[in-house]
Amino acid sequence: MRLVLAGTPSVAIPSFEALLASDHEVTAVVTRPDAARGRSKRLVPSEVGQWAADHGIPALKPMHPRDPEFVAALTELAPDACPVVAYGALVPQHVLDIPRYGWVNLHFSLLPRWRGAAPVQRAVMAGDGVTGATTFRLVRELDAGPVYGTTEMALTGTETAGEVLEALAHTGARLLLDTIDALATTEPAEQDDEAAVTLAPKITVEEARIDWTRQADEIDRLVRGCSPEPMAWTTIGDERFKVALGRPTDEAGLAPGEVRVEKRRVLVGSGTTALELVRVQPQGKKEMAGADWGRGLRDAAVRFA
């Protein structure tokens, strides 16, 4: 089967490696345009764009998938299908119609739960006990296309969103390859349980702010759901302080936001029990262990707002 792959961040690469190693013919990659990074503002390809260059695969980088030049190029490539993993742009219907088997998306949730840009983050923040990945035919409506297959993953309540996404990127790669292998003979099933639909919009910076009056378990889920990006944050005076990883404890007696430095750990009060700061990133500094940050405070009194 002739394939044009579409994706942008590194989470797509395990799937693309699996497809490239299969009997299918990968003719090109579609990814977001190169972006300016660093102080020099040098244009840098996306992680998938760099992967394509490393493998000598032509890369199409339209500003928008409706651009006539891109539509003409994709039409000329005549793919049978376009496997998609986190491409990052909406594809119009006339472009979805170019491959005879359509665009097949690998989405990191058990649809119809968590349709949108941040399904793994939302699943962790909500305290879901199970998540997974789904392959479905891309349609105009957000993540609403008919489903080819799913794979499940149990959550223990300790994983960060980054850890879950990394695991699903690899198990999902197998699912996507199996889906493409059987594409010509499989009829996908419609998502007909509208009552089960939940949305997973991108997490805003303000949404990642820690409210220390919330329960310790809720704060822990927020921190893990926002790790590694955008990372949960709080403030010390006017400075922003990021929390990469926390751990609920049974310790009581601290007011919300109150900090207690102990010999081997730092505790912060919440609306219930205290949260231990496991990994933190003070403003202008690299990420470090919470205990190391606490030792640097010496006897200074600190309180999070």
Side-chain angles (χ1 to χ4, degrees):
M1 192 168 286
R2 284 173 59 83
L3 304 177
V4 172
L5 314 180
T8 298
S10 62
V11 72
I13 291 176
S15 288
F16 292 179
E17 290 279 7
L19 291 166
L20 185 62
S22 72
D23 292 334
H24 301 291
E25 180 187 3
V26 175
T27 59
V29 163
V30 184
T31 190
R32 300 296 294 154
D34 297 356
R37 293 183 185 172
R39 293 181 179 178
S40 66
K41 302 298 182 184
R42 184 171 61 92
L43 289 177
V44 176
S46 72
E47 286 151 318
V48 165
Q50 186 59 55
W51 176 85
D54 292 342
H55 290 77
I57 302 171
L60 308 176
K61 304 176 181 179
M63 289 300 296
H64 192 284
R66 66 171 173 265
D67 292 349
E69 296 81 4
F70 168 69
V71 175
L74 186 64
T75 302
E76 185 173 353
L77 286 167
D80 296 307
C82 292
V84 190
V85 186
Y87 169 47
L90 294 176
V91 182
Q93 188 62 51
H94 67 285
V95 181
L96 292 176
D97 292 338
I98 291 174
R100 60 173 172 159
Y101 294 113
W103 294 54
V104 181
N105 194 26
L106 174 65
H107 184 75
F108 298 112
S109 83
L110 296 174
L111 292 173
R113 188 163 176 78
W114 302 129
R115 293 177 178 173
V120 171
Q121 294 88 337
R122 297 288 175 182
V124 171
M125 289 166 62
D128 287 1
V130 63
T131 187
T134 301
T135 50
F136 68 97
R137 183 184 295 162
L138 215 57
V139 297
R140 290 181 61 184
E141 295 77 16
L142 179 66
D143 298 334
V147 170
Y148 288 104
T150 61
T151 181
E152 293 189 359
M153 173 183 175
L155 297 177
T156 65
T158 59
E159 305 92 344
T160 66
E163 291 167 343
V164 176
L165 197 56
E166 174 71 16
L168 290 178
H170 288 86
T171 57
R174 180 72 250 178
L175 173 65
L176 183 58
L177 177 57
D178 289 345
T179 299
I180 298 300
D181 284 346
L183 199 56
T185 57
T186 303
E187 191 61 32
E190 296 291 341
Q191 298 182 42
D192 54 6
D193 189 0
E194 287 298 316
V197 173
T198 57
L199 300 179
K202 185 177 179 180
I203 298 168
T204 66
V205 172
E206 189 55 38
E207 196 178 2
R209 182 170 188 167
I210 298 171
D211 177 355
W212 293 104
T213 67
R214 304 293 293 270
Q215 296 183 11
D217 289 347
E218 292 180 88
I219 297 172
D220 170 54
R221 293 199 300 270
L222 172 71
V223 169
R224 289 188 290 106
C226 291
S227 178
E229 292 180 336
M231 204 179 289
W233 61 279
T234 182
T235 57
I236 303 175
D238 294 332
E239 292 191 352
R240 186 169 293 193
F241 183 95
K242 295 182 177 178
V243 180
L245 188 62
R247 182 185 299 136
T249 73
D250 294 329
E251 298 285 341
L254 289 174
E258 182 181 358
V259 176
R260 184 169 75 205
V261 178
E262 299 183 343
K263 188 173 182 180
R264 291 186 175 83
R265 63 180 184 174
V266 176
L267 302 179
V268 186
S270 75
T272 53
T273 57
L275 188 83
E276 179 184 350
L277 299 182
V278 179
R279 300 289 301 176
V280 301
Q281 185 176 16
Q283 184 168 306
K285 296 184 179 179
K286 294 182 178 179
E287 186 179 314
M288 64 180 74
D292 291 342
W293 171 74
R295 278 190 285 273
L297 291 178
R298 302 181 188 282
D299 295 326
V302 172
R303 188 186 189 94
F304 294 126

